[in-house]
Amino acid sequence: MNTLTKSFRELLRYPSAVLGLLTISFLLVVSAYALITIPYSEATRLWRGGEDVWYQNPKYAAPAWMNFFSSVKKPVSFAVNSKDGSMTKTVEAGAQNTSTITITHSFDYQYDEFPQELILYLNGTYQDKLPFASVALITPSGDRIRIGDFAVDREQTFRISQDEKLMKRLKTDDILLALFTEPKSESTTPVKGVYQLEILATTFEANSDLNVEFVMHGTLYGAAGTDQYRRDLMRPLLWGTPIALAFGLLAAVGTSLMTMIIAAVGSWYGGWLDELIQRITEINLVLPFLAILIMVGTFYSRSIWVILGVTILLSIFSGSIKSYRAVFMQSKVSPYIEAARAYGTTDRRIIFSYLIPRMIPLLIPALVSSVPSYVFLEASLAVLGLGDPVLPTWGKVIENAFTEGALYRGLYYWVLEPAALLMLTGLGFAMLGFALDRIYNPRLRDV
């Protein structure tokens, strides 16, 4: 415990180590937040969901924070619902089991462009007689524009900009332009101010009801934007963090420990066992590592756990075995090893209690520094189309962006957000690994 405390205090002397620890701590907090707030089943459902799950979101919407860096303010998407109280709803009972329902929502429109779409999702509750609704939009100048009058079924979608009756009433092919500009005005910019959507409904039966969900599709959405399937990119960015860290840490720990144990066993026993390990290592060094993983993903399975297992198997017999073997061969003839053998210590105890602990100072920095390479490996396979189709990962986000031509469309956020997280992960572990190497390697203390 004292040794660990001393090492940690010495680690804090290096600014790179502090920055690396802060970066890794941030990634761990994000991972914990994702795992707690978005269960695995929910994360996979959202990632594989279509229009029925993401209907509230616009397609190809940039993050809302982009308005801070532009003089032209673009509309930010939102969705409100009369069920959760985000829309004001009042009910007045009338004669003969009738009732009048008033649902309103006011929104401050301070944007320089028009929205993509205004959509009403209406849900009627009745037995025989359908509720009847009248929809109107009240502009900042006080003008009342009648949107439509219709009977409401149990589930009904009303897309305002596509309603042919409204086009004829407003005498225009661009309904949104007519709704957000002054009447008879030639202006092509929306009028800023507070708009109010008003739905007046009448029900004709006892226990009959009406609820409305109002969705405005803007050109911006959320903190991370959306993709071609309307998916909120914040979800795969959050859930991609624990997946990337789990893959990188498991691969690094499994590879490092197995490599060290195999090198120690071969060095201690020598003979044909050591020769076999060295020949396997030399053959493995000339094998095309990435090509084998591509073949596994193409012809066998793209499961991230299968890829992880193959990665560990191919990485065990790496060049590190020869480095470890050189150190173990020197330790093998040390006086304390001869003393241990003299009083009858078993081979197993010598390997795991005397030889392997000598490698810990070399193992820890190498293990930490190797984590980013495995994180990048998983992302690279996903970019090549060989990522796990079930899990939302950073690599899958980049792969979808390339498939949809995000860079050619100017949707740079789609690529930059996961790429920034990958770079942050690599930077954090690299800085911590470099600081640990300086602590455990006396030759680097003054570097």
Side-chain angles (χ1 to χ4, degrees), residues 109 111-114 174 176-178 180-182 185-191:
Y109 198 87
Y111 307 114
D112 300 314
E113 294 182 358
F114 296 95
D174 193 339
L176 295 178
L177 177 65
F180 286 88
T181 56
E182 293 290 346
S185 173
E186 297 181 356
S187 174
T188 57
T189 58
V191 176

Side-chain angles (χ1 to χ4, degrees), residues 8-170:
F8 184 74
R9 289 177 178 175
E10 189 174 358
L11 186 65
L12 295 180
R13 293 173 46 203
Y14 299 97
S16 61
V18 175
L19 191 55
L21 287 172
L22 290 176
T23 303
I24 296 172
S25 299
F26 168 75
L27 294 172
L28 292 175
V29 170
V30 172
S31 300
Y33 174 80
L35 294 172
I36 293 172
T37 59
I38 313 174
Y40 173 79
S41 58
E42 180 69 8
T44 55
R45 184 188 72 87
L46 293 174
W47 177 246
R48 303 174 70 178
E51 293 280 343
D52 57 329
V53 176
W54 299 105
Y55 66 92
Q56 294 182 340
N57 302 347
K59 291 183 178 181
Y60 305 111
W65 48 261
M66 293 188 71
N67 267 342
F68 293 108
F69 305 97
S70 174
S71 58
V72 178
K73 304 303 179 183
K74 298 182 179 181
V76 179
S77 305
F78 68 83
V80 290
N81 199 317
S82 61
K83 289 184 178 180
D84 58 15
S86 53
M87 299 182 75
T88 303
K89 178 181 178 180
T90 59
V91 180
E92 295 182 4
Q96 298 179 352
N97 292 327
T98 63
S99 61
T100 301
I101 300 175
T102 303
I103 300 175
T104 60
H105 178 70
S106 300
F107 58 97
D108 191 8
Y109 198 87
Q110 298 292 334
Y111 307 114
D112 300 314
E113 294 182 358
F114 296 95
Q116 295 185 37
E117 180 62 282
L118 300 177
I119 310 174
L120 293 175
Y121 297 95
L122 302 103
N123 190 327
T125 303
Y126 62 91
Q127 291 182 354
D128 299 315
K129 298 179 181 180
L130 280 69
F132 188 84
S134 297
V135 183
L137 182 68
I138 302 173
T139 66
S141 61
D143 295 332
R144 182 186 182 88
I145 303 176
R146 186 163 62 93
I147 302 297
D149 305 285
F150 46 85
V152 180
D153 207 340
R154 300 190 188 280
E155 290 186 0
Q156 187 169 331
T157 301
F158 182 67
R159 299 180 182 274
I160 294 176
S161 69
Q162 300 177 19
D163 187 60
E164 295 182 357
K165 294 181 180 179
L166 185 57
M167 290 183 186
K168 294 179 181 179
R169 189 181 306 123
L170 298 177

